[in-house]
Amino acid sequence: MTDPRLPYLTEFERKILWLSSWTIHNANHLRSNRDGLKIGGHQASSASLSTIMTALYLAVLKPEDRVAVKPHASPIFHAIQYLLGHQTREKLENFRGYKGAQSYPSRTKDIDDVDFSTGSVGLGVAQTLFASLVQDYVKAHGWRKENPEGRMIALVGDAEMDEGNIFEALLEGWKQGLRNTWWIIDYNRQSLDAVVREGLYARFEALFRSFGWDVVVLKHGSLMQEAFREPGGERLREWIDSCPNQLYSALTFQGGAAWRKRLLDDLGDQGDVTRLIERRSDAELARLMSNLGGHDLPSLLQAFEAVDHDRPTVFIAYTIKGFGLPLAGHKDNHAGLLTPAQMEGFRASAEVRPGHEWDKFDGLSLPQADLERFLASVPFNARGKRRYEAEKVPVPAALVTPQQPTMSTQQGFGLILNELARSSEPLADRIVTTAPDVTVSTNLGAWVNRRGLFAREEMRDIFRSERIPSTFTWDFSPKGQHIELGIAEMNLFILLSALGLSHSLFGERLLPIGTLYDPFIARGLDALNYACYQDARFIVAATPSGVTLAPEGGAHQSIGTPLIGMAQDGLASFEPAFVDELSVILRWAFDYLQRDGEGEPNERSWLRDETGGSVYLRLSTRSVDQPQRDMSPDLASDIVDGAYWMRKPGPNAQVVVAYTGAVAPEAIEALGLMAEDRRDVGLLAITSADRLNAGWTAAQRARERGLVHARSHIERLLGEVPLHCGLVTVLDGHPATLAWLGSVMGHRTRSLGVEHFGQTGTVQDLYRHFGIDAQGIIAAAEMIAPGRPIRHLRALG
Ligand SMILES: Cc1ncc(C[n+]2csc(CCOP(=O)(O)OP(=O)(O)O)c2C)c(N)n1
Ligand SMILES: [Mg+2]
């Protein structure tokens, strides 16, 4: 018996292809004439997924499933959501325009229920894998028991599989016992530039099997399978299976007559095979030859719905790039657009009347009421939009601040987390930590000892059961709160992204903290950017940083990360010098992670803090003497806003030193050394160049818009400093991080920092080498604030 859904799916597949093509055509030919811009296509890329996405969204998917759609299939996605009532005609008409439907599906910028953003290829794919681990984590912790388990699904371009991060994720998934993940490879054998290598699918197949995945190859559609059963059919199958990719593409592009000629040339036997071919018209032959598995609704439904297990499964679906369009198969079709004349032809074949291009049912042959009823019964849409919200986890008024006289911020971080691990704060139960094989070396060990490692299956630490003394207990259990990753930093950030979307994907709030060595942020940077773009919420603690780990190896020094922290949208960056600052910042971060308000910027800092975001902590292994002080509410809010006076300059100040992070002792020492020779010197502690800078630019914009009283935190602080005063800035990182401070009020500024890396030595050696020690600071001060010689300044070598 034929599936009753098939007539509807067949109609809607055509409609979806039409709507997506019209969306692109409209943007390129109609609107671009008006706006004077050329927008680009992706028509062909979209079309190869039209059948698969029709089958998925209108039949196979359940509301609990979550999907990462190949970036260039965005027009198909938007068309489907339009049919389901979640996308507007206005936004489709404005596709790729300002506030229109996005070129690549976007969680944050689109309105139509995007589960995972895509764009930078490879990342959305891996995101589904890590989302599945997070789903397991949520379940294993006993939350949302009533929710059915969803499948995390990626629609993957075949050339997208070139991205290394996918392989890193596959390996990690294997280690973690991955389940409920489907990757559907759009095997159109074309990338952006070219036709892919022969036999690629066999590599994919072997690869996935070796990672424990089930592999389903969807090569021949039902029309082909029927033809193979005809006399001579076997020969046709052999021909198809051995046809090179380039040739198949070229013939597809040329159509029925070309197929006929080629097939008869190669296979014609004046017998069964010839008859098989001749029985078909050109159009039928073209339809037969393009009836690959990925364009055959019955095969797709059968394959997807046959999966009755939770093992990870890859579908290698043969498709045609540009399916159903005149540019099908052409190797140059990636950015290809239908010409107005081609579009008219397509309109005629789709039976869409002029002026009815956006109608949902125009040109379809089934009665509209039936079509509407079918759409209303689509399982995926049973609950409408599928995002969850989660309650905020209460954050205590203050975190316990460790009280050792000398500590590094990294050590303090470990101690604060250890206190949280011991506490019965609800907050502590929602924290999930993770690290790419640097758990112990970033001081997460104490936390992990108390809260355990996560795995779906219990696994005892053998050293412990064998009673071998060890500082660390590595018991794995479903209740554990640390996810130990292999070394790949891309995986760290993609996992943080998935954990940090748990409230929205699975309805349970998690407070993820990832640690890594600061320089390796660069390795995972695109994934970090991706996580921020999706508005995932997490804390990343990066340590050690700068040149302070000097003797361990110059290769691990980080210079540019403070600038990354400033430039990365969605990430508030801090570099505390002292542990009491860190404690304030972490407490604030736990709250900030959970905010999702809108509203005006804060009038004190000019930061848009209601919207929340993620947090980057640049920490250090350098032990420094801790200030003995009470944390007043004012000081705490200054620390969060980005700066406070460690020593306020007097009215006649000649020099202010502004420092960030681990060079605090040098800055303090320098101030002491020049106090006799420069008047009223001041010391500005900067905990967040990022937030100071953002507040400053926001306040300037506000004033430009007429809010004359807008004043940012840094403007208030530096407004107290006489204009003739010189400013020396210093950090263990790139000097540009703080160099802008001179522009705030116009103070002459000399910015010290690190511009080269790789040298080993003691911290003192290197601070001297880069001129960020006390002597370097006072030498800069003497030049920028001329006066009598500073007596403690030694001749610098
Ligand atoms: C990280 C990254 N590099 C490059 C690109 C540019 N790009 C977009 S799609 C694409 C290749 C498309 O090939 P495939 O994945 O097979 O999809 P198809 O075009 O066949 O639909 C490239 C190189 C990108 N989006 N992201
Ligand atoms: Mg491709």
Side-chain angles (χ1 to χ4, degrees):
M1 210 184 79
T2 54
D3 189 324
R5 296 168 298 180
L6 278 174
Y8 294 97
L9 295 175
T10 308
E11 293 255 279
F12 279 120
E13 187 204 357
R14 273 206 307 147
K15 185 46 103 180
I16 288 162
L17 192 57
W18 162 262
L19 282 169
S20 63
S21 302
W22 181 252
T23 299
I24 296 167
H25 181 77
N26 177 72
N28 278 286
H29 287 285
L30 308 181
R31 205 177 74 231
S32 68
N33 288 346
R34 196 181 66 222
D35 301 349
L37 27 100
K38 203 73 195 154
I39 300 171
H42 309 143
Q43 216 147 15
S45 280
S46 285
S48 63
L49 274 170
S50 56
T51 327
I52 291 172
M53 287 175 70
T54 302
L56 284 175
Y57 280 92
L58 299 189
V60 177
L61 293 183
K62 308 241 165 48
E64 59 272 20
D65 296 333
R66 298 285 179 273
V67 190
V69 174
K70 183 185 80 166
H72 290 165
S74 158
I76 296 276
F77 174 79
H78 292 314
I80 290 171
Q81 292 291 355
Y82 175 66
L83 289 178
L84 295 177
H86 303 308
Q87 182 56 284
T88 65
R89 172 175 166 178
E90 188 192 4
K91 286 196 184 280
L92 288 185
E93 288 194 57
N94 193 18
F95 176 60
R96 288 172 158 247
Y98 182 59
K99 300 204 168 167
Q102 294 285 304
S103 346
Y104 311 127
S106 169
R107 269 187 76 83
T108 50
K109 304 286 187 252
D110 276 319
I111 56 166
D112 48 356
D113 207 26
V114 174
D115 294 327
F116 302 112
S117 300
T118 50
S120 180
V121 295
L123 300 181
V125 183
Q127 181 70 102
T128 57
L129 182 152
F130 288 104
S132 179
L133 294 185
V134 174
Q135 177 172 253
D136 280 346
Y137 184 95
V138 166
K139 286 270 164 197
H141 284 76
W143 298 315
R144 293 268 170 179
K145 278 199 170 347
E146 72 288 0
N147 282 15
E149 283 175 7
R151 292 160 299 191
M152 304 295 123
I153 300 174
L155 298 166
V156 190
D158 47 1
E160 192 167 7
M161 287 296 299
D162 289 339
E163 289 290 357
N165 84 275
I166 294 182
F167 300 85
E168 297 177 1
L170 274 174
L171 184 54
E172 193 61 51
W174 173 79
K175 292 183 199 166
Q176 306 276 350
L178 180 69
R179 312 183 299 143
N180 292 316
T181 304
W182 286 8
W183 288 356
I184 301 166
I185 299 183
D186 176 12
Y187 195 59
N188 60 24
R189 292 161 286 167
Q190 282 187 252
S191 63
L192 203 156
D193 289 335
V195 176
V196 304
R197 283 277 140 74
E198 294 303 325
L200 189 62
Y201 93 91
R203 305 309 111 197
F204 289 162
E205 188 173 2
L207 182 99
F208 278 96
R209 287 204 198 283
S210 80
F211 285 120
W213 288 52
D214 279 24
V215 180
V216 178
V217 180
L218 289 158
K219 182 157 188 183
H220 308 116
S222 50
L223 288 181
M224 281 190 183
Q225 287 171 24
E226 280 165 29
F228 298 158
R229 285 194 289 271
E230 292 175 27
E234 263 316 302
R235 297 279 315 280
L236 179 68
R237 177 207 283 271
E238 284 160 20
W239 188 91
I240 290 176
D241 287 353
S242 58
C243 178
N245 292 337
Q246 283 255 19
L247 179 61
Y248 211 94
S249 295
L251 291 170
T252 303
F253 176 71
Q254 296 173 86
W259 278 117
R260 181 180 310 281
K261 178 167 186 325
R262 183 69 193 216
L263 288 173
L264 287 175
D265 284 354
D266 286 3
L267 295 176
D269 59 356
Q270 309 303 326
D272 288 344
V273 185
T274 303
R275 275 196 293 281
L276 189 157
I277 296 165
E278 294 296 1
R279 254 198 304 279
R280 290 163 167 87
S281 69
D282 281 357
E284 284 167 342
L285 199 55
R287 212 149 67 84
L288 172 66
M289 297 306 287
S290 60
N291 179 243
L292 297 172
H295 293 299
D296 190 66
L297 286 163
S299 312
L300 289 169
L301 291 181
Q302 201 280 328
F304 293 144
E305 291 178 344
V307 179
D308 58 358
H309 55 78
D310 63 7
R311 291 190 298 279
T313 303
V314 64
F315 299 86
I316 304 176
Y318 277 70
T319 56
I320 289 170
K321 190 160 166 175
F323 176 74
L325 304 173
L327 32 72
H330 198 295
K331 69 182 170 59
D332 302 342
N333 64 11
H334 188 82
L337 292 168
L338 299 194
T339 62
Q342 287 174 324
M343 202 62 201
E344 274 309 303
F346 188 18
R347 181 210 298 285
S349 70
E351 295 174 48
V352 173
R353 290 165 297 161
H356 292 263
E357 292 87 354
W358 297 108
D359 287 8
K360 295 183 181 174
F361 308 105
D362 205 54
L364 302 186
S365 52
L366 293 171
Q368 178 165 337
D370 291 353
L371 292 165
E372 283 178 352
R373 209 169 311 119
F374 178 83
L375 281 185
S377 69
V378 161
F380 179 66
N381 206 25
R383 293 206 311 259
K385 292 194 187 173
R386 300 153 311 116
R387 283 194 194 177
Y388 290 103
E389 290 189 356
E391 298 268 301
K392 273 183 122 180
V393 182
V395 178
L399 303 181
V400 175
T401 305
Q403 294 297 337
Q404 302 179 16
T406 306
M407 272 181 290
S408 68
T409 47
Q410 172 176 318
Q411 212 180 338
F413 169 75
L415 292 168
I416 294 170
L417 276 180
N418 185 34
E419 289 299 333
L420 271 171
R422 287 166 38 151
S423 79
S424 54
E425 287 288 344
L427 174 84
D429 297 335
R430 294 287 169 155
I431 294 175
V432 194
T433 56
T434 179
D437 205 25
V438 291
T439 300
V440 173
S441 50
T442 58
N443 275 47
L444 277 179
W447 159 270
V448 176
N449 274 346
R450 290 188 190 278
R451 293 279 171 159
L453 290 111
F454 171 72
R456 269 188 306 120
E457 314 277 314
E458 205 94 26
M459 204 162 49
R460 308 301 288 174
D461 186 335
I462 302 285
F463 276 71
R464 194 157 74 132
S465 38
E466 292 291 320
R467 296 177 193 283
I468 303 170
S470 157
T471 326
F472 300 104
T473 321
W474 289 81
D475 284 333
F476 288 81
S477 85
K479 295 279 166 278
Q481 286 181 251
H482 175 78
I483 301 179
E484 181 69 11
L485 290 174
I487 312 171
E489 284 77 15
M490 291 297 274
N491 284 342
L492 170 73
F493 287 114
I494 302 174
L495 174 59
L496 286 174
S497 171
L499 290 165
L501 289 173
S502 171
H503 54 284
S504 174
L505 295 173
F506 306 116
E508 291 296 327
R509 174 89 55 187
L510 299 176
L511 299 168
I513 303 178
T515 64
L516 81 168
Y517 294 176
D518 194 54
F520 304 133
I521 284 180
R523 175 79 73 113
L525 194 50
D526 198 27
L528 169 62
N529 183 49
Y530 174 67
C532 291
Y533 174 54
Q534 303 209 84
D535 203 22
R537 301 302 178 83
F538 53 88
I539 295 171
V540 54
T543 179
S545 64
V547 297
T548 51
L549 80 171
E552 279 185 46
H556 287 184
Q557 296 162 353
S558 65
I559 296 174
T561 45
L563 295 172
I564 290 174
M566 286 178 86
Q568 182 59 56
D569 191 17
L571 193 66
S573 305
F574 294 88
E575 184 167 357
F578 304 112
V579 173
D580 61 351
E581 297 170 358
L582 174 63
S583 168
V584 166
I585 292 164
L586 253 181
R587 194 215 78 86
W588 176 85
F590 285 128
D591 186 63
Y592 184 67
L593 251 50
Q594 303 187 63
R595 297 181 198 171
D596 61 358
E598 288 176 15
E600 291 308 304
N602 176 312
E603 289 199 6
R604 193 166 37 86
S605 62
W606 282 90
L607 292 165
R608 222 175 259 283
D609 278 355
E610 291 86 348
T611 53
S614 290
V615 174
Y616 161 38
L617 306 171
R618 189 174 190 252
L619 305 181
S620 167
T621 42
R622 184 175 191 212
S623 263
V624 298
D625 291 343
Q626 301 292 311
Q628 302 303 308
R629 58 185 173 186
D630 291 327
M631 186 52 66
S632 68
D634 281 349
L635 178 56
S637 82
D638 283 354
I639 288 168
V640 168
D641 287 346
Y644 63 93
W645 286 118
M646 189 76 157
R647 175 179 163 158
K648 202 166 172 168
N652 298 310
Q654 288 181 294
V655 181
V656 161
V657 176
Y659 75 90
T660 285
V663 295
E666 281 65 29
I668 293 166
E669 186 190 348
L671 219 70
L673 293 177
M674 64 185 150
E676 294 169 25
D677 299 309
R678 290 293 180 277
R679 277 194 309 278
D680 288 357
V681 288
L683 187 60
L684 187 60
I686 296 187
T687 46
S688 174
D690 177 28
R691 286 172 55 81
L692 274 187
N693 183 268
W696 175 51
T697 49
Q700 291 176 95
R701 265 199 309 277
R703 291 198 292 273
E704 287 153 14
R705 283 197 229 105
L707 295 168
V708 288
H709 299 297
R711 198 64 80 237
S712 62
H713 188 51
I714 190 63
E715 288 168 316
R716 267 194 311 277
L717 290 168
L718 291 181
E720 302 173 19
V721 179
L723 264 184
H724 59 75
C725 178
L727 190 58
V728 178
T729 71
V730 60
L731 79 159
D732 185 345
H734 197 275
T737 312
L738 297 176
W740 58 275
L741 285 172
S743 305
V744 176
M745 289 293 159
H747 294 105
R748 246 174 314 122
T749 300
R750 166 81 167 100
S751 294
L752 305 176
V754 180
E755 291 159 284
H756 306 284
F757 90 123
Q759 185 61 258
T760 46
T762 64
V763 171
Q764 279 318 314
D765 290 338
L766 293 184
Y767 277 15
R768 177 79 297 282
H769 178 75
F770 292 113
I772 55 174
D773 60 350
Q775 288 294 321
I777 295 169
I778 57 180
E782 188 174 71
M783 289 307 290
I784 201 143
R788 66 168 181 239
I790 298 178
R791 276 164 281 176
H792 291 288
L793 177 63
R794 293 193 299 268
L796 297 179

